[in-house]
Amino acid sequence: ADTVLALMDSTIALCPHPLTYQSAPYVLQKGIICQDLGLYRKATASYNEYERLMVGTQLSAAFYHNRFICNREARLYQQALDDIQKATELEPRNALYHCAKGALEIRVNLAEQAITSANNALIADPRNADAYAILGGPRSMTGHKHEGILNIEQAKSYGYADADKLLKKYK
């Protein structure tokens, strides 16, 4: 693993400096390698450099989702929220992105925003078990316990694996 990363660094070192648009694919690949190795801060740095090199180019929602994952795992929560927000703007019908956003919003105590994200996921996919589970937690914590429990039970009916744990927590 270290060898692969060293080879990628050597490849980037051979590129003309300062780095340009032509070097961007190598920088992106380094970010992917770092992410795969669990080096989330290094991956984020590479993704940030890639974004800088691609100025004027519309990056994909998948790019922002990957950087979101790295920022979340590195506990850079505001940057993670910014990235997943961008992903949801680029692909508003992608329930996965709304669920990821809602789950992080729960983690950082943004209950009302998590409810909105879960509802957006349900608009995109009305049978999304994760969205119902995400919706259930904040509703249970914000004075709508009965509705929250119903949401978690709906998540269970759609196959959400940890529904029983959530039901035990909020009942």
Short mmCIF file of all heavy atoms in Angstrom, two decimals, residues 122-145:
data_model
loop_
_atom_site.label_atom_id
_atom_site.label_comp_id
_atom_site.label_asym_id
_atom_site.label_seq_id
_atom_site.Cartn_x
_atom_site.Cartn_y
_atom_site.Cartn_z
N LEU A 122 -36.94 10.52 0.94
CA LEU A 122 -38.21 9.82 0.71
C LEU A 122 -38.93 10.33 -0.53
O LEU A 122 -39.63 9.56 -1.19
CB LEU A 122 -39.10 9.91 1.94
CG LEU A 122 -38.60 9.10 3.13
CD1 LEU A 122 -39.39 9.41 4.39
CD2 LEU A 122 -38.64 7.61 2.81
N ILE A 123 -38.73 11.58 -0.87
CA ILE A 123 -39.28 12.09 -2.14
C ILE A 123 -38.60 11.36 -3.30
O ILE A 123 -39.25 10.98 -4.26
CB ILE A 123 -39.08 13.63 -2.24
CG1 ILE A 123 -40.00 14.34 -1.23
CG2 ILE A 123 -39.33 14.12 -3.66
CD1 ILE A 123 -39.69 15.81 -1.03
N ALA A 124 -37.29 11.17 -3.19
CA ALA A 124 -36.54 10.49 -4.24
C ALA A 124 -36.83 8.99 -4.28
O ALA A 124 -36.86 8.39 -5.34
CB ALA A 124 -35.04 10.73 -4.06
N ASP A 125 -37.03 8.39 -3.10
CA ASP A 125 -37.27 6.94 -3.00
C ASP A 125 -38.21 6.68 -1.82
O ASP A 125 -37.76 6.55 -0.69
CB ASP A 125 -35.94 6.21 -2.80
CG ASP A 125 -36.10 4.70 -2.66
OD1 ASP A 125 -37.24 4.18 -2.80
OD2 ASP A 125 -35.09 4.03 -2.41
N PRO A 126 -39.51 6.60 -2.07
CA PRO A 126 -40.49 6.46 -0.99
C PRO A 126 -40.37 5.18 -0.16
O PRO A 126 -40.98 5.08 0.90
CB PRO A 126 -41.83 6.48 -1.73
CG PRO A 126 -41.55 7.10 -3.04
CD PRO A 126 -40.14 6.76 -3.37
N ARG A 127 -39.59 4.21 -0.59
CA ARG A 127 -39.45 2.96 0.15
C ARG A 127 -38.03 2.81 0.74
O ARG A 127 -37.58 1.69 0.99
CB ARG A 127 -39.78 1.77 -0.75
CG ARG A 127 -41.23 1.79 -1.24
CD ARG A 127 -41.55 0.68 -2.21
NE ARG A 127 -41.27 -0.64 -1.69
CZ ARG A 127 -42.14 -1.39 -1.02
NH1 ARG A 127 -43.36 -0.94 -0.81
NH2 ARG A 127 -41.80 -2.59 -0.58
N ASN A 128 -37.36 3.91 0.97
CA ASN A 128 -35.98 3.87 1.44
C ASN A 128 -35.94 3.65 2.96
O ASN A 128 -36.30 4.53 3.74
CB ASN A 128 -35.28 5.18 1.06
CG ASN A 128 -33.79 5.12 1.30
OD1 ASN A 128 -33.36 4.97 2.44
ND2 ASN A 128 -33.01 5.23 0.25
N ALA A 129 -35.48 2.48 3.36
CA ALA A 129 -35.43 2.12 4.77
C ALA A 129 -34.53 3.06 5.57
O ALA A 129 -34.88 3.45 6.69
CB ALA A 129 -34.97 0.68 4.92
N ASP A 130 -33.38 3.41 5.00
CA ASP A 130 -32.46 4.31 5.70
C ASP A 130 -33.11 5.65 5.98
O ASP A 130 -32.95 6.22 7.06
CB ASP A 130 -31.18 4.51 4.90
CG ASP A 130 -30.32 3.26 4.82
OD1 ASP A 130 -30.41 2.40 5.72
OD2 ASP A 130 -29.54 3.14 3.86
N ALA A 131 -33.85 6.17 5.01
CA ALA A 131 -34.50 7.47 5.19
C ALA A 131 -35.52 7.42 6.33
O ALA A 131 -35.59 8.35 7.15
CB ALA A 131 -35.18 7.90 3.89
N TYR A 132 -36.28 6.35 6.41
CA TYR A 132 -37.24 6.22 7.52
C TYR A 132 -36.53 6.14 8.86
O TYR A 132 -36.98 6.73 9.85
CB TYR A 132 -38.15 5.01 7.32
CG TYR A 132 -39.29 5.28 6.36
CD1 TYR A 132 -39.29 4.73 5.09
CD2 TYR A 132 -40.36 6.10 6.74
CE1 TYR A 132 -40.33 4.99 4.21
CE2 TYR A 132 -41.40 6.36 5.86
CZ TYR A 132 -41.39 5.80 4.60
OH TYR A 132 -42.41 6.06 3.74
N ALA A 133 -35.42 5.40 8.91
CA ALA A 133 -34.65 5.31 10.16
C ALA A 133 -34.07 6.67 10.55
O ALA A 133 -34.13 7.06 11.72
CB ALA A 133 -33.54 4.28 10.01
N ILE A 134 -33.55 7.38 9.56
CA ILE A 134 -33.00 8.72 9.84
C ILE A 134 -34.10 9.65 10.31
O ILE A 134 -33.91 10.45 11.23
CB ILE A 134 -32.27 9.26 8.58
CG1 ILE A 134 -30.99 8.46 8.34
CG2 ILE A 134 -31.96 10.75 8.72
CD1 ILE A 134 -30.38 8.65 6.98
N LEU A 135 -35.25 9.56 9.71
CA LEU A 135 -36.39 10.40 10.09
C LEU A 135 -36.87 10.07 11.50
O LEU A 135 -37.23 10.97 12.27
CB LEU A 135 -37.51 10.19 9.08
CG LEU A 135 -38.73 11.09 9.13
CD1 LEU A 135 -38.33 12.56 9.01
CD2 LEU A 135 -39.68 10.71 8.00
N GLY A 136 -36.84 8.81 11.86
CA GLY A 136 -37.36 8.39 13.17
C GLY A 136 -36.59 8.93 14.35
O GLY A 136 -37.19 9.34 15.35
N GLY A 137 -35.28 8.94 14.26
CA GLY A 137 -34.47 9.41 15.38
C GLY A 137 -34.75 10.85 15.76
O GLY A 137 -35.16 11.12 16.90
N PRO A 138 -34.57 11.79 14.85
CA PRO A 138 -34.80 13.19 15.21
C PRO A 138 -36.26 13.50 15.59
O PRO A 138 -36.51 14.30 16.47
CB PRO A 138 -34.43 13.96 13.93
CG PRO A 138 -33.56 13.04 13.17
CD PRO A 138 -33.98 11.66 13.54
N ARG A 139 -37.20 12.82 14.95
CA ARG A 139 -38.59 13.03 15.34
C ARG A 139 -38.82 12.59 16.78
O ARG A 139 -39.51 13.26 17.53
CB ARG A 139 -39.54 12.29 14.40
CG ARG A 139 -39.81 13.04 13.14
CD ARG A 139 -41.00 12.48 12.44
NE ARG A 139 -41.40 13.33 11.34
CZ ARG A 139 -42.16 12.93 10.35
NH1 ARG A 139 -42.62 11.68 10.31
NH2 ARG A 139 -42.49 13.75 9.38
N SER A 140 -38.23 11.47 17.15
CA SER A 140 -38.38 10.97 18.52
C SER A 140 -37.74 11.93 19.53
O SER A 140 -38.22 12.05 20.65
CB SER A 140 -37.73 9.59 18.66
OG SER A 140 -38.40 8.65 17.85
N MET A 141 -36.68 12.59 19.12
CA MET A 141 -35.96 13.49 20.02
C MET A 141 -36.55 14.90 20.06
O MET A 141 -36.21 15.66 20.95
CB MET A 141 -34.48 13.59 19.60
CG MET A 141 -33.73 12.28 19.71
SD MET A 141 -31.97 12.42 19.27
CE MET A 141 -32.02 12.94 17.57
N THR A 142 -37.40 15.24 19.11
CA THR A 142 -37.91 16.62 19.04
C THR A 142 -39.39 16.70 19.37
O THR A 142 -40.10 17.54 18.84
CB THR A 142 -37.66 17.24 17.65
OG1 THR A 142 -38.29 16.42 16.66
CG2 THR A 142 -36.17 17.38 17.35
N GLY A 143 -39.86 15.84 20.25
CA GLY A 143 -41.23 15.95 20.73
C GLY A 143 -42.27 15.26 19.88
O GLY A 143 -43.47 15.42 20.12
N HIS A 144 -41.86 14.49 18.91
CA HIS A 144 -42.80 13.74 18.07
C HIS A 144 -42.45 12.26 18.16
O HIS A 144 -42.24 11.58 17.15
CB HIS A 144 -42.74 14.23 16.62
CG HIS A 144 -43.09 15.66 16.47
ND1 HIS A 144 -42.15 16.66 16.48
CD2 HIS A 144 -44.30 16.28 16.33
CE1 HIS A 144 -42.74 17.84 16.35
NE2 HIS A 144 -44.05 17.63 16.26
N LYS A 145 -42.42 11.78 19.41
CA LYS A 145 -41.96 10.42 19.68
C LYS A 145 -42.80 9.38 18.94
O LYS A 145 -42.25 8.44 18.35
CB LYS A 145 -41.97 10.16 21.18
CG LYS A 145 -41.34 8.86 21.58
CD LYS A 145 -41.23 8.75 23.08
CE LYS A 145 -40.47 7.50 23.44
NZ LYS A 145 -40.13 7.45 24.84
#
